[in-house]
Amino acid sequence: MKLPIASSLASSPLRQASLCIGVVTVLSGTGQAAAPGMVLKLVGAENSPATRQLFGTVGMFMNVTGGILTHSMLCGKSTRLVLFWSMAQKAGAVGAVAVGVTHGVFARRALAVAAFDLISAGVLAAALGAEILPKQEQTED
């Protein structure tokens, strides 16, 4: 399927950053879905059939969320809803990882994943704000 690249893609650093976040989310979700045991070991969590199944399922959802963000940024259509829900997914991931670390499910090194998601949520929130503002407000300082 050939995607038309949005003409504003090259001119917007927030759009470029959102595209990169989408691609990284697809790649990490794919890795998590394909090799959940390896990811569980990296974050210092229990590695059982149940946790591998759960992590694989979460990876699939990451893949879908990252895919819709990537697709939306490439096409430049209906980006506000996609930015909002992608931001919500990243913010939710921060909370879920933090709770997992607090309860001893994940090792503290898993907070590096949460840090990426926190930064991603901030970038997506900024991109969402830029998409919502009328054009004349975007150019005023």
Side-chain angles (χ1 to χ4, degrees):
M1 172 171 159
K2 187 172 180 180
L3 299 174
I5 303 292
S7 61
S8 63
L9 183 62
S11 64
S12 171
L14 287 172
R15 192 180 265 308
Q16 288 176 338
S18 297
L19 175 62
C20 288
I21 290 166
V23 169
V24 169
T25 303
V26 166
L27 294 174
S28 60
T30 299
Q32 187 169 320
M38 183 180 75
V39 177
L40 286 163
K41 185 177 179 181
L42 288 172
V43 298
E46 175 189 339
N47 190 345
S48 68
T51 58
R52 286 191 298 275
Q53 175 64 42
L54 178 62
F55 245 54
T57 302
V58 169
M60 180 273 302
F61 283 114
M62 290 171 59
N63 193 303
V64 170
T65 302
I68 195 168
L69 178 59
T70 300
H71 191 154
S72 178
M73 291 302 106
L74 289 173
C75 291
K77 302 206 189 253
S78 303
T79 58
R80 288 189 306 223
L81 285 174
V82 173
L83 286 167
F84 174 80
W85 287 106
S86 296
M87 176 193 66
Q89 182 267 324
K90 293 297 182 184
V94 171
V97 171
V99 167
V101 170
T102 301
H103 291 148
V105 175
F106 302 132
R108 290 180 57 87
R109 63 182 173 264
L111 293 174
V113 174
F116 171 78
D117 285 334
L118 181 62
I119 291 166
S120 295
V123 170
L124 295 172
L128 178 62
E131 289 283 328
I132 291 172
L133 292 175
K135 293 294 180 194
Q136 65 271 19
E137 290 182 30
Q138 288 183 24
T139 57
E140 295 176 1
D141 286 27

